[in-house]
Amino acid sequence: LNNKLISNTIASIKENLSETLNNGDDPNMAPFRYIILLDPTENECSISLLFSLGLCKQQNTEICRISDFLNDSNDDSRMNIVLKVKNAIAQEKTVILINAESIFSCFYDLFNRYFSLLSMNNENENE
């Protein structure tokens, strides 16, 4: 039973990570959203599992970590992480957030069900 549960969980994660929008799809109507995996361990072993099981590819994954050290948890450091996350999302990378509760509110527009895609193509500058 335990192996079946693990296999089903891995298959579900793989399926969810492979879902994408087709060109012209409205992201607000997409049947999928974001995956949240909680790792209660101290050594973040779930990240190693994501890579070793082939669920995430290192070249297409951005790991963003906010440490508990005073110099790493100031406003400048947190905003740098926010920019790193938004840039990774714009490049369609998988983002893994670690200890990032202090910046979750910065992603309201991303995690909210209703958001708009803005085109960055030069040909659409007049729209």
Side-chain angles (χ1 to χ4, degrees), residues 42-79:
E42 293 290 323
N43 62 2
E44 302 169 0
C45 64
S46 62
I47 295 171
S48 298
L49 281 172
L50 288 172
F51 293 125
S52 66
L53 294 173
L55 298 173
C56 290
K57 295 179 179 141
Q58 289 186 341
Q59 67 272 15
N60 196 37
T61 302
E62 191 71 53
I63 298 175
C64 301
R65 178 182 286 108
I66 297 178
S67 76
D68 293 327
F69 295 114
L70 186 57
N71 289 339
D72 294 339
S73 61
N74 61 36
D75 288 342
D76 289 338
S77 294
R78 287 193 299 265
M79 285 302 104

Side-chain angles (χ1 to χ4, degrees), residues 64 77-89 107:
C64 301
S77 294
R78 287 193 299 265
M79 285 302 104
N80 284 334
I81 297 292
V82 169
L83 289 174
K84 187 176 179 182
V85 169
K86 290 188 176 190
N87 286 333
I89 290 169
F107 304 115

Side-chain angles (χ1 to χ4, degrees), residues 79-117:
M79 285 302 104
N80 284 334
I81 297 292
V82 169
L83 289 174
K84 187 176 179 182
V85 169
K86 290 188 176 190
N87 286 333
I89 290 169
Q91 296 171 19
E92 299 182 8
K93 290 185 174 184
T94 297
V95 177
I96 298 174
L97 298 172
I98 301 170
N99 198 27
E101 294 85 0
S102 64
I103 61 171
F104 284 167
S105 63
C106 298
F107 304 115
Y108 178 79
D109 59 331
L110 177 66
F111 296 131
N112 187 13
R113 177 161 171 83
Y114 299 102
F115 61 91
S116 299
L117 292 178

Side-chain angles (χ1 to χ4, degrees), residues 16-30:
N16 283 290
L17 287 172
S18 69
E19 292 177 326
T20 59
L21 288 175
N22 293 322
N23 220 0
D25 283 351
D26 182 355
N28 297 311
M29 299 300 141

Side-chain angles (χ1 to χ4, degrees), residues 3-19:
N3 285 340
K4 186 176 181 178
L5 178 63
I6 291 170
S7 294
N8 288 343
T9 302
I10 292 169
S12 179
I13 293 169
K14 270 186 184 177
E15 180 182 341
N16 283 290
L17 287 172
S18 69
E19 292 177 326

